[in-house]
């Protein structure tokens, strides 16, 4: 990451650009430039070796104008305040672009889950949940999985919050284990939404899905499921990567075999994977491959001022949050590379989180087929709306998505008026 990179500046830039096109004054958008609440907490934990360590954690609510704050909890060594602020704001605009009744929030703990035992991770989760408990709740702020956290962590959050309240509160968190009211299809939802979006953009651009090459950066929950579903749709997945680096095979990789090798816990690394005809490449090389579709599904700031000029893909679908820095957008645009923005492309996760919350608060359960069909019914029209406004206003798809999202948030704010 470059030293000057501040993801929150990226958010402000796109919001300002959209507001200018919408004809809003600075006063109209002033309040959405600042997160409503920022909570920083210390999370003391007795480690397995008996020593006490204190981890730093955050929960930030960017906006509750359209509904309760909503967004994941990230466990990663690089978590910091500006990152969580940006991630929280992206959630506000993501929920707005797909029109689900939420604002945006995000949380994070500075830690490396790969170096923690299960007991240590559970202790961090419980103590962190207790520390942010005054802010969260099914009507206030609803956490979910993000990088480094998963369904098991959500189960511990639900349990901790329920213990503190003295009764079961299913709707306080989404992405839970199915046994605790987790939605069927939630685990695959972000990747499924990325798959729908990729097919939608390819159709608009007159590209064949069958046999077209795609590279996926990141083999976490989002990247691995995206690769799996695109492979099942007939695309040729020529490259994938994880923290240890990437692999490339011109004829297309054996994705089912790779997923089996990586395993559920993804403890195996791609650097040790072998398949006939494949070569090892770096994460940087993966991004610069001459492929039709590129899907960054890892972290922020992967494509920036340093490498944007070297990107050769025709379409980039942002499965991660903020993988393209603001400075790279005009460079990609000048190269006629079409970018489908994160707030649209990866919204499938929060859409199915919304379905989970709706089921929880009504004590009902939907089948996986129902969930997947309802997801498609939100993702496809949302894509269409972004595509149409971008065509109409002659903007990028990112600006198009923000035109819709910023307008919805500003209208909600205006309808409520500033209190008191
Ligand atoms: N962490 C996911 C995201 O960035 C999901 C958030 C949620 O389901 O609330 O969209």
């Amino acid at each position: 990451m470059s030293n000057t990179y501040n993801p929150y500046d990226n958010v402000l830039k796109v919001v300002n650009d959209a507001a200018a096109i919408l004809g809003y004054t600075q006063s109209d958008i002033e309040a959405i430039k600042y997160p409503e609440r920022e909570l920083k907490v210390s999370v003391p934990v007795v480690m397995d070796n008996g020593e006490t360590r204190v981890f730093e954690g955050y929960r930030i609510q960017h906006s509750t104008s359209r509904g309760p704050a909503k967004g994941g909890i990230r466990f990663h060594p690089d978590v910091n305040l500006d990152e969580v602020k940006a991630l929280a704001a992206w959630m506000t605009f993501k929920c707005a672009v797909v029109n689900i009744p939420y604002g945006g929030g995000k949380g994070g703990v500075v830690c490396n889950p790969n170096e923690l035992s299960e007991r240590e991770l559970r202790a961090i989760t419980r103590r962190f949940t207790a520390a942010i408990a005054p802010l969260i709740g099914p009507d206030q702020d609803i956490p979910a999985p993000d990088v480094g956290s998963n369904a098991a962590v959500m189960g511990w959050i639900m349990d901790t919050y329920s213990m503190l309240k003295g009764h079961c509160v299913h709707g306080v968190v989404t992405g839970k284990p199915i046994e605790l009211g987790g939605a069927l299809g939630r685990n695959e939802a972000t990747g499924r939404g990325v798959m729908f979006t990729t097919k939608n953009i390819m159709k608009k651009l007159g590209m064949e899905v069958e046999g077209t090459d795609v590279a996926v950066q990141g083999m976490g929950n989002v990247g691995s499921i995206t690769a799996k579903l695109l492979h099942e749709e007939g695309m040729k997945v020529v490259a994938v990567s994880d923290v240890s680096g990437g692999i490339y095979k011109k004829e297309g990789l054996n994705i089912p075999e790779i997923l089996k090798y990586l395993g559920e816990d993804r403890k195996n690394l791609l650097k040790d994977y072998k398949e006939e005809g494949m070569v090892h490449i770096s994460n940087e090389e993966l991004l610069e491959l001459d492929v039709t579709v590129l899907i960054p599904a890892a972290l922020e700031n992967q494509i920036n001022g340093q490498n944007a000029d070297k990107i050769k893909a025709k379409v980039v679908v942002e499965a991660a949050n903020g993988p393209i820095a603001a400075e790279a957008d005009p460079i990609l645009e000048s190269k006629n590379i079409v970018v489908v923005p994160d707030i649209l492309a990866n919204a499938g996760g929060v859409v199915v989180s919304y379905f989970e919350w709706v089921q929880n608060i009504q004590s009902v359960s939907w089948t996986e087929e129902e969930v997947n069909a309802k997801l498609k019914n939100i993702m496809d029209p949302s894509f269409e709306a972004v595509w149409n406004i971008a065509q109409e206003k002659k903007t990028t798809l990112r600006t198009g998505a923000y035109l819709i999202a910023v307008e919805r948030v500003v209208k909600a704010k205006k309808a409520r008026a500033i209190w008191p």
Side-chain angles (χ1 to χ4, degrees):
M1 287 200 186
S2 70
N3 291 338
T4 52
Y5 174 72
N6 179 340
Y8 200 69
D9 292 342
N10 282 243
V11 177
L12 294 178
K13 170 152 191 348
V14 282
V15 169
N16 269 317
D17 289 352
I21 299 174
L22 289 163
Y24 287 147
T25 62
Q26 280 304 308
S27 180
D28 291 328
I29 60 162
E30 192 62 13
I32 64 172
K33 292 200 287 195
Y34 300 87
E36 286 177 18
R37 285 198 178 96
E38 298 178 28
L39 176 65
K40 180 178 168 203
V41 296
S42 298
V43 183
V45 168
V46 179
M47 306 301 283
D48 288 349
N49 65 6
E51 279 170 22
T52 299
R53 264 182 71 184
V54 178
F55 296 87
E56 195 166 288
Y58 305 95
R59 184 72 191 174
I60 297 184
Q61 297 172 348
H62 171 260
S63 170
T64 56
S65 290
R66 300 182 65 256
K70 184 83 191 83
I73 305 266
R74 178 171 293 200
F75 288 164
H76 193 275
D78 294 337
V79 162
N80 62 71
L81 187 71
D82 286 325
E83 182 189 52
V84 183
K85 265 170 75 173
L87 290 163
W90 283 324
M91 288 309 302
T92 300
F93 300 112
K94 191 183 302 187
C95 293
V97 82
V98 291
N99 211 6
I100 56 175
Y102 288 137
K106 202 82 169 198
V109 178
V110 188
C111 67
N112 185 349
N114 298 326
E115 290 170 1
L116 298 166
S117 70
E118 187 185 298
R119 191 206 62 83
E120 289 169 338
L121 190 63
R122 196 169 59 236
I124 291 176
T125 304
R126 286 196 183 285
R127 188 62 192 248
F128 174 66
T129 305
I132 65 167
L135 291 198
I136 62 172
D139 301 322
Q140 279 170 270
D141 181 355
I142 306 128
D146 195 73
V147 175
S149 66
N150 55 22
V153 170
M154 301 306 118
W156 300 328
I157 293 177
M158 179 264 180
D159 180 67
T160 307
Y161 189 82
S162 298
M163 286 293 137
L164 294 172
K165 292 284 161 192
H167 58 96
C168 229
V169 190
H170 290 108
V172 64
V173 63
T174 58
K176 298 179 291 293
I178 305 299
E179 307 74 50
L180 296 179
L184 293 165
R186 173 62 185 86
N187 188 47
E188 295 206 334
T190 312
R192 187 171 296 279
V194 174
M195 180 270 281
F196 291 148
T197 308
T198 305
K199 287 178 69 180
N200 282 332
I201 188 67
M202 291 178 80
K203 196 164 166 205
K204 288 287 182 207
L205 300 175
M207 294 172 170
E208 279 292 327
V209 170
E210 185 73 37
T212 298
D213 52 341
V214 53
V216 181
Q217 186 205 30
M219 277 277 117
N221 169 278
V222 179
S224 61
I225 289 165
T226 298
K228 171 176 174 266
L229 296 178
L230 289 177
H231 171 80
E232 285 171 9
E233 292 295 315
M235 284 190 83
K236 196 166 68 169
V237 185
V238 295
V240 295
S241 67
D242 64 14
V243 277
S244 72
I247 54 178
Y248 171 74
K249 182 170 161 183
K250 197 170 185 303
E251 301 74 35
L253 291 159
N254 186 340
I255 295 299
E257 201 51 43
I258 293 170
L259 295 176
K260 210 157 64 185
Y261 164 81
L262 292 174
E264 273 294 294
D265 54 5
R266 300 197 183 82
K267 285 272 187 267
N268 292 328
L269 293 172
L270 286 173
K271 73 174 170 43
D272 302 319
Y273 176 79
K274 286 183 186 61
E275 180 179 319
E276 213 186 302
M278 59 149 255
V279 290
H280 286 277
I281 55 173
S282 67
N283 262 296
E284 293 71 37
E285 286 167 331
L286 182 144
L287 296 173
E288 294 165 18
L289 285 173
D290 191 359
V291 286
T292 308
V293 181
L294 172 65
I295 306 193
L299 294 166
E300 304 91 66
N301 195 26
Q302 299 302 298
I303 300 175
N304 49 39
Q306 264 105 62
N307 63 354
D309 204 32
K310 299 188 200 132
I311 305 300
K312 298 178 197 73
K314 296 185 176 53
V315 179
V316 184
V317 180
E318 290 187 311
N321 290 312
I324 302 179
E327 72 213 18
D329 268 340
I331 304 173
L332 298 179
E333 198 184 348
S334 72
K335 288 163 63 91
N336 290 324
I337 298 173
V338 176
V339 173
V340 187
D342 48 5
I343 60 166
L344 173 67
N346 73 27
V350 74
V351 168
V352 176
S353 276
Y354 165 57
F355 297 158
E356 182 170 325
W357 178 79
V358 167
Q359 292 172 79
N360 290 161
I361 56 185
Q362 297 182 89
S363 298
V364 295
S365 68
W366 304 345
T367 64
E368 188 161 351
E369 289 70 35
E370 276 178 271
V371 168
N372 290 346
K374 285 181 199 289
L375 172 63
K376 192 164 163 47
N377 278 341
I378 291 191
M379 294 303 290
D380 287 355
S382 302
F383 175 87
E384 204 59 32
V386 169
W387 174 267
N388 288 340
I389 198 162
Q391 293 283 305
E392 189 198 319
K393 304 277 184 202
K394 298 192 179 9
T395 66
T396 60
L397 293 173
R398 189 186 311 284
T399 304
Y402 276 87
L403 288 174
I404 293 174
V406 170
E407 182 170 34
R408 286 193 177 138
V409 178
V410 169
K411 277 190 169 163
K413 261 209 124 42
K414 280 195 171 170
R416 289 177 68 154
I418 304 245
W419 190 87

